[in-house]
Amino acid sequence: MIKILIAEDDRQLNEGIKLSLREEGRNFLQSYTLTEARTAVEEVNPDLLILDINFPDGSGLDLLREIKSAGRRTKIILLTANNMETDIVTGLESGADDYITKPFSLMVLRARVGVQLRKADSQAITEGDFLFDFERMIFSVKGQTVELSKTEQKLLRILVENKGKTVSRELLIDGVWDGDSEYVDGHALTVTIKRLRDKLGEDAAEPQHIKTVYGIGYCFQ
């Protein structure tokens, strides 16, 4: 169930946003003050926060900074007055994922929300002892952070997104080295696979997750 928090002090607008976004698989929470919004974030940890900037009891920008500094994965869309360009800039620099200016079309808001929810869905992948967050480039094994190079990240992403399927060496080289397979030594893939296995704690003799399919390529299991 996707959790969406609407933090907007205008009750009519708050309700209108909820009605326009309502669909199966979404659970909505509504806050009308900054204090209520802060409490809801702590208790529920929403997937998406639609956040007004101006509240009677404070600025939504403060809550935005708190959420980002805490490392939460909540996607945040700011609602701001049309003439407050400085708030937009400050919000984006503080980590907001998107913004929309008032007055706005609810159809446009629906589209913006859809984009952010798709990003949230693809952001973090949990596989056993692994956490792979390709958007934020955060990777961990048994809770311990590991550093992956850009090449290793590309390789891992292709394997994970094709979980259970054998990906040929040619397709991996083409995907990792951006179509330069004609100029990349096949040994480079073998070396990158070894480094990736080492960082994921794989047994060199019998890797459990990145399997070699001899004569073809590799498979993530």
Side-chain angles (χ1 to χ4, degrees), residues 151-212:
T151 301
E152 291 160 357
Q153 290 178 37
K154 284 184 179 180
L155 177 57
L156 179 61
R157 187 165 197 162
I158 294 171
L159 291 171
V160 171
E161 289 180 348
N162 289 278
K163 178 184 174 184
K165 301 176 184 177
T166 299
V167 185
S168 70
R169 291 180 62 88
E170 292 76 14
L171 285 176
L172 286 170
I173 291 172
D174 191 60
V176 173
W177 283 275
D178 300 321
D180 289 335
S181 56
E182 183 179 349
Y183 306 102
V184 176
D185 184 348
H187 183 61
L189 176 61
T190 303
V191 171
T192 306
I193 286 284
K194 182 182 184 307
R195 287 203 309 261
L196 186 56
R197 282 172 169 163
D198 289 344
K199 291 182 178 182
L200 297 183
E202 293 270 62
D203 185 330
E206 292 187 41
Q208 297 298 305
H209 300 285
I210 301 178
K211 300 279 191 178
T212 300

Side-chain angles (χ1 to χ4, degrees), residues 8 34 45 64 68 74 77 143 193 206:
E8 163 61 57
L34 190 62
N45 193 25
L64 165 64
K68 293 303 178 179
T74 302
I77 298 177
I193 286 284
E206 292 187 41

Side-chain angles (χ1 to χ4, degrees), residues 49-68:
L49 169 59
I50 299 173
L51 177 63
D52 189 21
I53 288 182
N54 298 308
F55 287 92
D57 58 338
S59 171
L61 294 174
D62 292 334
L63 179 57
L64 165 64
R65 295 187 187 98
E66 291 168 17
I67 291 171
K68 293 303 178 179

